[in-house]
Amino acid sequence: MGQYLETDVLIIGAGGAGMYAAISAAEAGAQVLLLDKSVIGRSGATIMAQMTVAAAIGEEEPDDWRFHLKDTITAGRGLVDEPLAEILCRTAPERIWQMEAWGVGWARKGNHITQAHAPGHDRNRCVYVDFLNTGPASSRTLRNQVRRHDSVRRISDLTVTDLVLQDGRAVGAVALHLETGQTVTIAAKATVIATGGLTSMYSRNSASANMGGDGFAMGLRAGAELIDMEFVQFFPIGHLAPRLIGMDPIMWDPFRYKLGGRLLNSAGEEFTQNYGTAEDGKYVVTRDTATYAIYKEVEAGRGSPHGGAWLSFEHIPDADLRAAFGPVIDRLADAGIDLTKMAIEVYPIAHYHMGGLRVDDTLATNVPNLFAAGEAVGGANGANRLSGNAITEAFVFGELAGRSAAAMAQGNAAPDIRDAAKPYLRVIETAAGQTGDGPTPTAAIAALKDLLQQDVGPFRTDEGLTHALDAIAEMTAALPDMPTGARAPFNQQLADWLGLRNMLAVARTIATAARTRTESRGAHQREDYPGLDEAWGYNQVLRLSGDELQLSRGEVRRLAPEEQPS
Amino acid sequence: MSERHSADLKIRRGGPEGPAQFEHFEFEFEDGQSVLDALRWIRGNRDASLAVRYSCINANACKECVMRIDGRTGYACTTPLRAGEMLIEPLPNKRLIRDLVTDTLPPDERLAEP
Ligand SMILES: Cc1cc2nc3c(=O)[nH]c(=O)nc-3n(C[C@H](O)[C@H](O)[C@H](O)COP(=O)(O)OP(=O)(O)OC[C@H]3O[C@@H](n4cnc5c(N)ncnc54)[C@H](O)[C@@H]3O)c2cc1C
Ligand code: FES
């Protein structure tokens, strides 16, 4: 049955949230096992982030976490879990200063940390590391801190496939070691899901290959509740053309913001003002408005050659471009892109997921001993996220979940899960034995991504969502027979099978919640139900009972009136 | 729109045992596409058993896709394709796991032998 490991706290996923959780759990005295399906601290969204981190540290101008909270609640359009958002905004400054003390190197102007303005924030609030280095610097800093703790054991290349339940409690997990094909069983007194988001389920995305929603599917199968699954944030100006390699597809945003890049249609005209919000050369259009404007303009036949919008910096003087872009301008030149002479093409891409595991104020899920952190958590950002809040969420929730899990582990005896793990291990072994022919899970994943982009993407209809749900059900029925190739070291076809199994489970939750919500709000836009409907001011909660997906309404958690930010 | 060209990827297959085996794959590409674009296309459309390590695809952040391309060490995701034959091999100085995957993990992050 492969290796058997034991720990106090198991942390699944080693991005910003998982690494932060490992540090705080270790500091609270727990033995920690930190796992990643790829490489610790290198393979999720955190290291790819290039922009900013929002926190009311008041370095650039006076600020207060209550202002940050107010902006977060406004952006979330009535669905923000306010107690969670309060934790996020109130604790953010502590994390930013801790990262500073650990040497992350937030950009400075004179003797203070620089804070930039980003859409939806009422003032300059967003810290960053130059140039486009926020994520890499954060990851490096956390990796170094994790390494200082002897009580944290790190294992890369270990894909967790299921949580193990015993008497209704989370007691650890089973995993596939890709290199050898071995299975591994991990007994844990408490478990933290820090697997990040799900945007690689869409064909147009900013994601790494590891953002396929594993944590949501594993949680769901273990009886955990998910909320707000219909809210997938599409980033309006993802890079579309010309093909640009070695660069993040969302890199244009900070420059558009700093310099006032112009969004143009095929006729060379600005158009976002036609869809609700005026642009006056400054970057004020919030993310979902811009996404809608580009999508509609393309639909109306006024798109760029590759089916997007033009983004132009041609009106900006050479020297200003160089000052803002720094060394990036040379990397663009290497790719044949001269911004003084040409516009580039952009299009909305899946970028972040607001929904996720439903948690309380300690980040505990409804499954005993099971916690969540980072993008895997649902609720704090409601129907739409402010830019800069996601890394903050990874730091703040990571730190808190690690502490909560360590405290929980202290009161629990070490479980013996050898028997309880057997049915979960059998799933991996059965899949690994399917050496026949037929359409591969690798190809099926590509088909699923196209389906979701088309029918469960930035704009939705009842017809499209119903079609998607039928197609998802068909693919789910075909999954058991899909071949995983010959048994071999580093069998990615088997990893694809396990990934597809999760993606299908998660796709069903998104499409189900999206079809039921007959209104448009934040990142959930229904073409057949345009406009926000006050009657829909609640969260949708999903849970699995056998094979049946149950959907219910949950009241949005609010702060007491006297605690509301004014 | 940019022109399309054809690359002929000669890829080293198999594990550490036995003599090196090579397989050829044709890939039609548009200017600016990367070697990783071709390898991912091969996995999805020609041979899903091809082993190649990568995560970030576009950001050149994870550094997992390091391999030997035309005899030089480089990242598959930042190396542009070119028309004609390209030789794609695993790193020569690391333990070979299979196909293009070598053991590049930090030693203290490996699953220890039981
Ligand atoms: C390109 C890009 C740019 C961004 N820019 C910004 C920005 O400027 N500001 C901002 O606030 N936010 C930004 N975001 C969002 C933000 O980066 C993420 O929300 C945040 O980093 C998530 O952190 P995390 O630790 O929860 O997840 P991640 O950093 O994604 O880490 C999750 C980890 O879990 C691992 N994992 C997944 N499944 C399994 C499994 N089954 N078994 C084991 N391990 C598993 C993955 O390999 C990964 O390493 C950006 C996102 C992207 C993709
Ligand atoms: S795929 Fe991440 S560096 Fe190449």
Side-chain angles (χ1 to χ4, degrees):
Chain A
M1 75 174 243
Q3 287 195 49
Y4 187 81
L5 308 175
E6 292 182 277
T7 187
D8 293 337
V9 174
L10 166 64
I11 298 171
I12 307 169
M19 290 192 287
Y20 229 121
I23 296 164
S24 67
E27 279 172 357
Q31 291 291 323
V32 179
L33 191 55
L34 175 64
L35 309 180
D36 202 283
K37 73 195 295 187
S38 280
V39 187
I40 302 284
R42 287 206 159 276
S43 311
T46 306
I47 197 169
M48 297 165 73
Q50 299 190 333
M51 289 170 60
T52 62
V53 188
I57 56 172
E59 284 278 287
E60 187 79 28
E61 59 180 302
D63 199 356
D64 187 289
W65 64 265
R66 290 171 195 86
F67 301 144
H68 184 191
L69 177 58
K70 189 162 186 245
D71 290 344
T72 299
I73 291 173
T74 305
R77 291 184 175 58
L79 295 195
V80 168
D81 180 315
E82 294 180 1
L84 274 187
E86 189 206 308
I87 294 170
L88 178 72
C89 298
R90 186 166 38 78
T91 330
E94 234 173 89
R95 297 283 75 78
I96 295 304
W97 288 117
Q98 187 166 46
M99 290 292 288
E100 177 70 3
W102 287 340
V104 72
W106 302 123
R108 286 182 166 269
K109 211 184 304 166
N111 57 1
H112 72 84
I113 291 177
T114 321
Q115 291 181 277
H117 186 255
H121 290 276
D122 73 342
R123 66 196 67 208
N124 296 303
R125 182 172 291 138
C126 298
V127 305
Y128 55 90
V129 181
D130 269 327
F131 275 95
L132 299 179
N133 210 20
T134 299
S138 298
S139 291
R140 174 179 40 75
T141 303
L142 289 170
R143 274 204 311 272
N144 288 340
Q145 289 302 317
V146 168
R147 250 187 245 127
R148 297 163 60 107
H149 291 277
D150 291 336
S151 50
V152 180
R153 179 170 173 199
R154 292 162 280 137
I155 307 179
S156 292
D157 256 0
L158 201 54
T159 306
V160 176
T161 60
D162 269 302
L163 301 166
V164 175
L165 286 187
Q166 196 162 268
D167 305 323
R169 314 177 77 79
V171 288
V174 295
L176 170 70
H177 185 236
L178 199 57
E179 181 192 325
T180 56
Q182 269 188 64
T183 55
V184 178
T185 303
I186 305 131
K189 297 177 188 170
T191 300
V192 180
I193 295 182
T195 47
L198 52 65
T199 46
S200 82
M201 290 171 53
Y202 287 86
S203 53
R204 283 183 171 170
N205 66 57
S206 64
S208 86
N210 301 322
M211 287 138 72
D214 285 359
F216 307 125
M218 294 192 285
L220 198 64
R221 285 194 293 268
E225 290 176 340
L226 303 178
I227 71 165
D228 293 348
M229 292 303 284
E230 65 273 42
F231 294 103
V232 182
Q233 184 170 55
F234 280 75
F235 186 89
I237 55 165
H239 186 82
L240 180 63
R243 185 75 176 97
L244 179 59
I245 56 180
M247 296 257 216
D248 186 333
I250 73 148
M251 62 163 287
W252 297 113
D253 200 65
F255 301 121
R256 172 158 178 250
Y257 158 61
K258 275 191 203 169
L259 294 166
R262 298 164 68 206
L263 278 176
L264 308 171
N265 63 15
S266 57
E269 295 158 352
E270 289 185 270
F271 58 89
T272 48
Q273 72 281 0
N274 302 338
Y275 300 93
T277 316
E279 265 192 299
D280 52 7
K282 268 175 74 193
Y283 184 128
V284 292
V285 177
T286 54
R287 285 187 171 168
D288 44 358
T289 319
T291 302
Y292 187 66
I294 295 173
Y295 179 86
K296 279 293 171 192
E297 205 64 10
V298 171
E299 196 182 63
R302 295 188 292 270
S304 61
H306 285 81
W310 293 108
L311 174 62
S312 170
F313 295 96
E314 291 158 285
H315 57 294
I316 316 273
D318 220 349
D320 294 2
L321 282 175
R322 183 157 281 282
F325 280 82
V328 175
I329 206 111
D330 300 316
R331 281 159 66 189
L332 289 170
D334 289 344
I337 295 176
D338 177 352
L339 294 177
T340 61
K341 294 199 178 60
M342 61 193 272
I344 47 103
E345 291 177 63
V346 294
Y347 192 75
I349 56 178
H351 183 54
Y352 175 83
H353 182 227
M354 271 70 72
L357 290 148
R358 192 186 202 194
V359 294
D360 68 13
D361 295 352
T362 68
L363 300 185
T365 68
N366 57 303
V367 178
N369 305 336
L370 183 63
F371 298 80
E375 194 170 333
V377 170
N381 295 287
N384 195 34
R385 169 183 69 100
L386 280 183
S387 67
N389 265 8
I391 298 181
T392 312
E393 171 184 74
F395 294 169
V396 168
F397 289 171
E399 193 275 341
L400 175 55
R403 254 191 300 133
S404 299
M408 176 67 76
Q410 240 168 21
N412 287 346
D416 181 339
I417 72 167
R418 278 166 234 266
D419 281 335
K422 280 181 187 157
Y424 305 98
L425 291 170
R426 209 171 300 130
V427 173
I428 308 177
E429 280 145 13
T430 306
Q434 271 149 221
T435 51
D437 290 328
T440 63
T442 316
I445 287 175
L448 179 63
K449 289 181 181 195
D450 287 339
L451 174 79
L452 296 181
Q453 183 78 37
Q454 182 62 40
D455 288 336
V456 196
F459 298 96
R460 301 155 175 184
T461 62
D462 185 73
E463 196 191 342
L465 292 164
T466 304
H467 172 253
L469 281 164
D470 290 345
I472 291 164
E474 237 171 76
M475 290 173 88
T476 306
L479 179 70
D481 297 324
M482 284 192 196
T484 54
R487 285 181 192 269
F490 216 86
N491 183 358
Q492 275 159 303
Q493 202 173 324
L494 175 58
D496 287 341
W497 190 98
L498 294 160
L500 177 62
R501 170 184 181 236
N502 289 338
M503 287 185 181
L504 288 168
V506 177
R508 185 179 173 208
T509 66
I510 305 172
T512 300
R515 189 171 62 167
T516 312
R517 185 177 284 279
T518 47
E519 65 152 356
S520 293
R521 182 187 295 260
H524 169 72
Q525 293 291 326
R526 286 283 299 257
E527 294 207 75
D528 43 0
Y529 293 95
L532 185 146
D533 177 355
E534 293 295 344
W536 268 102
Y538 51 81
N539 304 112
Q540 296 194 91
V541 181
L542 293 136
R543 68 151 80 209
L544 205 58
S545 166
D547 275 343
E548 190 202 342
L549 188 61
Q550 298 174 336
L551 182 75
S552 59
R553 295 178 172 199
E555 213 167 298
V556 182
R557 296 202 308 152
R558 308 269 182 215
L559 293 169
E562 65 276 11
E563 294 166 322
Q564 290 281 347
S566 50
Chain B
M1 295 259 183
S2 36
E3 259 178 81
R4 298 190 70 79
H5 317 275
S6 179
D8 166 18
L9 280 78
K10 182 177 173 191
I11 301 177
R12 154 98 195 209
R13 299 299 304 266
E17 61 298 317
Q21 309 229 359
F22 290 88
E23 249 182 278
H24 286 263
F25 295 91
E26 288 284 327
F27 179 65
E28 290 250 323
F29 67 97
E30 209 177 292
D31 276 334
Q33 282 195 283
S34 68
V35 169
L36 184 62
D37 289 338
L39 298 173
R40 292 172 62 221
W41 180 86
I42 291 166
R43 286 207 69 242
N45 299 280
R46 289 288 178 272
D47 185 352
S49 76
L50 175 68
V52 47
R53 189 194 261 290
Y54 66 91
S55 287
C56 69
I57 302 170
N58 261 308
N60 194 225
C62 72
K63 313 295 180 190
E64 289 185 47
C65 65
V66 62
M67 56 184 68
R68 216 59 182 164
I69 301 167
D70 287 331
R72 292 160 124 202
T73 298
Y75 297 109
C77 70
T78 58
T79 306
L81 288 164
R82 48 173 188 73
E85 187 177 278
M86 292 185 84
L87 179 62
I88 315 288
E89 296 167 292
L91 291 180
N93 55 344
K94 298 275 180 190
R95 183 173 61 85
L96 179 61
I97 295 172
R98 191 168 66 83
D99 294 347
L100 300 174
V101 178
T102 51
D103 181 9
T104 49
L105 292 181
D108 61 346
E109 288 179 10
R110 299 181 44 77
L111 177 71
E113 297 299 322

